[in-house]
Amino acid sequence: MASSVKACTNSRYRKTNIVIITILSLLSCFALVMVIYNLIKGSYLFSIAWFIATVLASTYVLIRINTVFATYISTDRMNLFMKNWNNDFLPYDYDNKVKIVEIPLNEISKVLIGTKNFIKRNVAPDSDFVKNIRVLEKSKDFYKKKTISSMDILYVETFEKECYYMPIVKFDTRNVTKIVQMIQRINPELLIRVSSREYRTLRMASK
């Protein structure tokens, strides 16, 4: 896949997380060394404590990597590519793997950017997006519900009413805007609706 424009998490966000990931990786290695050291000494309780610290640090590192570096949207001027987590919204849920969908630009009829509530107001009540988001809204996990309530989401719909969506939190807004503008050049009748302040240019185009 040769992409002409690719939008992913912005460089500042990536650099910050590289520092965090590096520090936690070093701490994880130190904790593992302490596990071995305390096992040799026979201090099994300390070994268990350091082992738990190793697991927690390693898990957080994997989540940060999957959150910051795993997803993107891109186009080769013919198709839109969306790389997202299998569960569509969260990198740390039951399935951390990613998927890539490919959508011909000339088949896209609608692009929405905004929060889940904004998108729900602008799509059919029986759409896949609404069905899937309701599952998370009913979750007993407060952090999960809070996360999905504030995230910016890209929603794409085709003329055949197929829909694709993914979070674009901390994405490079300039390249996201370029990609949407490319879709609009292919299909001048494209419906664009945007609620996010970060995409001011697209908000003006959507009026």
Side-chain angles (χ1 to χ4, degrees), residues 2-196:
S3 61
S4 58
V5 180
K6 179 178 179 180
C8 55
T9 47
N10 64 62
S11 59
R12 183 177 179 180
Y13 184 63
R14 293 165 80 89
K15 287 175 183 177
T16 299
N17 276 276
I18 286 172
V19 173
I20 294 171
I21 288 167
T22 300
I23 292 171
L24 286 175
S25 296
L26 292 172
L27 287 174
S28 181
C29 291
F30 174 75
L32 183 59
V33 170
M34 293 303 294
V35 169
I36 297 170
Y37 172 75
N38 280 283
L39 280 174
I40 293 172
K41 284 182 60 180
S43 303
Y44 299 112
L45 287 177
F46 282 109
S47 292
I48 293 171
W50 281 109
F51 178 74
I52 292 171
T54 303
V55 171
L56 291 175
S58 300
T59 300
Y60 188 79
V61 165
L62 292 174
I63 290 172
R64 294 315 303 166
I65 291 172
N66 205 35
T67 301
V68 179
F69 301 101
T71 64
Y72 64 78
I73 59 173
S74 67
T75 180
D76 59 2
R77 299 180 186 272
M78 295 291 292
N79 302 285
L80 176 68
F81 301 93
M82 299 171 66
K83 185 179 180 184
N84 191 23
W85 308 295
N86 277 346
N87 55 51
D88 294 318
F89 295 104
L90 300 168
Y92 55 82
D93 209 352
Y94 64 92
D95 189 349
N96 283 351
K97 295 179 181 178
V98 293
K99 60 185 177 183
I100 299 179
V101 296
E102 179 179 345
I103 316 154
L105 297 188
N106 60 5
E107 293 182 8
I108 298 174
S109 63
K110 180 190 293 185
V111 172
L112 307 174
I113 297 178
T115 62
K116 67 176 181 66
N117 288 335
F118 170 77
I119 293 174
K120 282 167 63 179
R121 291 195 300 268
N122 287 277
V123 300
D126 60 346
S127 69
D128 287 341
F129 176 85
V130 174
K131 292 175 184 176
N132 290 338
I133 205 71
R134 278 177 181 163
V135 174
L136 293 175
E137 287 175 333
K138 293 177 181 178
S139 171
K140 295 180 180 178
D141 186 329
F142 174 78
Y143 181 74
K144 183 183 294 186
K145 293 170 72 173
K146 182 180 178 182
T147 300
I148 65 165
S149 68
S150 59
M151 63 170 50
D152 272 341
I153 298 169
L154 171 70
Y155 174 96
V156 175
E157 186 173 293
T158 68
F159 290 104
E160 298 297 323
K161 301 302 179 183
E162 295 178 342
C163 64
Y164 308 90
Y165 42 87
M166 61 179 284
I168 51 171
V169 178
K170 300 292 185 181
F171 266 46
D172 184 331
T173 56
R174 184 177 179 182
N175 282 344
V176 173
T177 300
K178 282 182 179 179
I179 289 172
V180 176
Q181 289 171 338
M182 284 183 179
I183 301 171
Q184 191 176 33
R185 290 192 195 105
I186 297 293
N187 179 13
E189 300 302 315
L190 177 72
L191 175 62
I192 304 172
R193 288 182 179 166
V194 180
S195 69
S196 174

